[in-house]
Amino acid sequence: MKKIILALLILSFCLSIIAEESVSFQSASNTSAYFYSGSISDSERLKIYTYVWGQVEKTGLYIVPDNTDLLALISLAGGPTENAKLANVRIVRPTADGSKVIFVDLKKYIESGDEDLIPVLKPGDTVIVAGSIYYAFFRVADFMSKVAIVVSVIAAINNM
């Protein structure tokens, strides 16, 4: 009986290690895609809601001026991480027909400096910066090592 209780405690501990962190999403309090900001003494600005996911330093919801481009938004998010795949950044743009996906090659922009490669964002755009192949391999290897730990703990308990 003690073996079973000990095994369950160790198994639940190991499973809590394997479980990924939960992500909470906050919806915008305003139902419009645009947000007005300004005062009498300050310049009036129209702002839009945009989202950044993936391999940037600070993912989340960003409220930016309506003429913000992709490069500025990624910079506001702290820039890409070392695992970012800059050759395939996606912008998911909501349209009346559904969603439209735009692929942007930031690596080509970095090499050429051609500003025409950087699109201006629209309200409700979601920018997704994917991870590199190395990042995907690292995640799989990390998961497999945690599974191996759980299996070895169970084997050790059975040998007691």
Side-chain angles (χ1 to χ4, degrees), residues 115-128:
E115 292 181 7
D116 294 334
L117 297 172
I118 308 298
V120 174
L121 298 171
K122 303 284 184 192
D125 278 357
T126 302
V127 175
I128 303 168

Side-chain angles (χ1 to χ4, degrees), residues 141-154:
D142 184 50
F143 176 76
M144 293 304 291
S145 69
K146 290 177 182 175
V147 168
I149 290 170
V150 170
V151 169
S152 66
V153 167
I154 291 172

Side-chain angles (χ1 to χ4, degrees), residues 65-77:
D66 65 342
N67 61 348
T68 302
D69 63 11
L70 175 65
L71 196 59
L73 181 65
I74 291 176
S75 297
L76 282 173

